[in-house]
Amino acid sequence: VQENETKELEYTLLEGPQPIEELPLDIDILLNDSYRRVATAFLFDIGGYSLYWGDIGADLAFVNNSSFGPLQDLDSYNVQPSNRYVVESWAAHYQLIRNSNLGLAAIADSDYVSESGKTEIELQAELRFFRALVYFNLMKLYGNPVLVTNTDVDNPLLQNKEGTLIVIEEDLEFAQTNLSNTQPNTK
């Protein structure tokens, strides 16, 4: 624009960003993530220590008595809440429990998608199997886990060994009754 000159400009206002649309939970992605998590080092292996930590539970065996740091603590049966492996194992278990509870809540609310062709009952059975498996392992490793059977993480149930055993039994019975025998060997 030159001095003392007027020009007419046309412009279009661009719309701002639109809110992110909330989509239904994809149960297939959630289940695939659950299978992936089961294979992680901090769930059932813990660098080979879960066998000694949870099953043997005495100073009869050593994974690597020349290790140092947090692994040496586990090797000497000094299992402390500040140990990196103890913390990461605990978190890995509860991430899988959270997956299971989210999936079960989504199915109960009919707010999910799945292209697997499985019925709601089969999906629930798979999720409940995961929850039972993880709680059983938590009891083996930690003795008395915090029981959470819903998505309200701010209000978990109290630590209750008998209650946890009941949930494990109910979930496994449901899974046994409702899981398909045609699962691929990758699961």
Side-chain angles (χ1 to χ4, degrees):
V1 177
Q2 304 280 340
E3 188 176 336
N4 296 327
E5 183 180 350
T6 305
K7 290 205 177 192
E8 192 173 310
L9 298 174
E10 225 176 278
Y11 66 93
T12 305
L13 284 176
L14 298 176
E15 290 187 34
Q18 297 297 313
I20 296 174
E21 181 182 345
E22 192 171 321
L23 298 173
L25 180 67
D26 189 322
I27 296 287
D28 301 332
I29 290 174
L30 185 120
L31 281 170
N32 287 335
D33 182 60
S34 296
Y35 282 107
R36 183 190 58 76
R37 287 181 187 274
V38 166
T40 63
F42 285 106
L43 203 61
F44 289 101
D45 184 39
I46 313 167
Y49 284 86
S50 66
L51 172 68
Y52 301 102
W53 174 9
D55 287 333
I56 296 174
D59 57 355
L60 303 174
F62 295 97
V63 177
N64 181 3
N65 58 8
S66 64
S67 63
F68 55 92
L71 290 176
Q72 184 180 26
D73 289 342
L74 292 179
D75 238 353
S76 62
Y77 295 89
N78 182 15
V79 180
Q80 298 294 322
S82 60
N83 184 295
R84 171 181 164 241
Y85 295 98
V86 172
V87 170
E88 289 186 35
S89 173
W90 179 268
H93 283 79
Y94 279 97
Q95 288 166 350
L96 190 51
I97 289 168
R98 177 89 168 133
N99 272 6
S100 297
N101 290 339
L102 284 172
L104 291 167
I107 292 169
D109 295 339
S110 296
D111 189 23
Y112 73 97
V113 294
S114 174
E115 295 180 9
S116 68
K118 296 177 184 173
T119 67
E120 283 189 355
I121 296 292
E122 289 173 313
L123 294 170
Q124 288 172 334
E126 220 167 325
L127 291 165
R128 289 181 72 173
F129 170 78
F130 275 120
R131 189 169 65 184
L133 175 69
V134 173
Y135 269 121
F136 179 78
N137 203 50
L138 276 170
M139 289 193 75
K140 182 177 78 166
L141 294 175
Y142 296 94
N144 194 12
V146 176
L147 180 61
V148 183
T149 57
N150 56 45
T151 58
D152 187 2
V153 294
D154 293 329
N155 294 309
L157 302 173
L158 296 176
Q159 287 178 283
N160 179 332
K161 194 176 242 182
E162 292 76 26
T164 303
L165 288 170
I166 290 169
V167 168
I168 291 169
E169 183 177 357
E170 288 173 351
D171 282 353
L172 287 176
E173 286 174 350
F174 187 90
Q176 181 182 20
T177 302
N178 297 296
L179 273 177
S180 167
N181 290 331
T182 60
Q183 288 288 339
N185 62 5
T186 58
K187 298 189 174 181

